[in-house]
Amino acid sequence: MPELPEVETTRRGIEPHLTGRRLRSVTVREPRLRWPVDERVAALRDRPVLAVRRRAKYLLLDLDGLHLGVHLGMSGTLRVVPEAAPPRKHDHVDLVLDSGQLLRFNDPRRFGAVLYLPDLEQHPLFTGLGPEPLDAAFTGEWLHRRSRGRKASVKTFIMDNATVVGVGNIYAQESLFLAGIHPSRPAGRISLGRYQLLAEAIREVLARAIEAGGTTLRDFTRVDGQPGYFAQELRVYGRAGEPCRQCGTPLRGGRHGQRSTVYCPHCQR
C-alpha cells in the first residue's frame, strides 16, 4: 500500500493543476470502491477547488463548504489528463475541471476510496488521529509521554495512527534503524533522549523519501507515471540476510503485528 511519501508525492503533482480551478462536474463509472461512492459526489457541479491537502494517507480537495477525500488503497493512482482522453480499464472516477483537463482516479483492485466529506473533523476516519510526522506538534516529548506504560513493541507503537499518522511498515523500519533502536524494544522502556532521536529520524527518512519521489512499490507510480526512487536508498527494509550497510553484520528478519521487520542486531539496541 502506498505510504505517506507516495501520497504526498501525488499531492504535490496534482496540486498545481487543481488549486484555483473550478470543478465543473464529476463522472463516476464504478461506485463500488472500498466504500461505495456517495451519490452526492456525482452530483457536484461548479465548485471552486480552494486547496489540495493531505491528512495521514488521505488526499483532501477543499471545495466550497465540503471536502472530497481520496485514498489510493493498494493500487490506486491519480493522473491529470486532457478532458478528451478516453478512459482506460479501471478508470473509475473523473473530476472534470474548467481548464479542459480532468483528474482521473484509476484503481484495478478497487481498495481505494473517493469520499464525500461535509464535516471532516467529525468523520470517523479522521477523529482520533495523531499529529503529522512533519508538523511541529510531532516531537520526541510527545512520543515519550504517550509511550509510558506501553508494553507493545516500539515499531507497533509508531505505526499506530493515534501516535503519529502515516508511518507505515517501510518507514518505521528505516527510522528505527537510523535512530539505532531495536524494533522489538517495548515502547514504554525507551528514554526521552532516544525518542527525540527517533522523532528526528522519522522526519528525516520521510522528508528524504518525499524528495526522492516515494518508494518503488509493485503498484505505485507517481502522478507523472514514473516510479519513485527512494527504494535505492533503503537500509534495512526487504534486505534480510544482507550485510548491514553501516557495520556489515547480516540483517535479521522478524515480525511485529503481522508485518515483516528487518533490523541490524548490532546497530539497533
Coordinates of all heavy atoms in Angstrom, one line a residue, residues 197 205 264:
L197 N 15.7 11.2 19.3 CA 16.4 10.8 18.1 C 15.4 10.1 17.1 O 15.6 10.3 15.9 CB 17.5 9.7 18.6 CG 18.7 10.3 19.3 CD1 19.6 9.1 19.8 CD2 19.5 11.3 18.4
V205 N 13.8 10.6 7.4 CA 13.5 9.5 6.5 C 12.3 9.9 5.6 O 12.4 9.7 4.3 CB 13.2 8.2 7.2 CG1 12.6 7.1 6.3 CG2 14.5 7.6 7.8
C264 N 19.2 -4.6 12.2 CA 20.5 -4.9 12.4 C 20.7 -5.3 13.9 O 20.5 -4.4 14.8 CB 21.5 -3.8 12.0 SG 23.2 -4.2 12.4

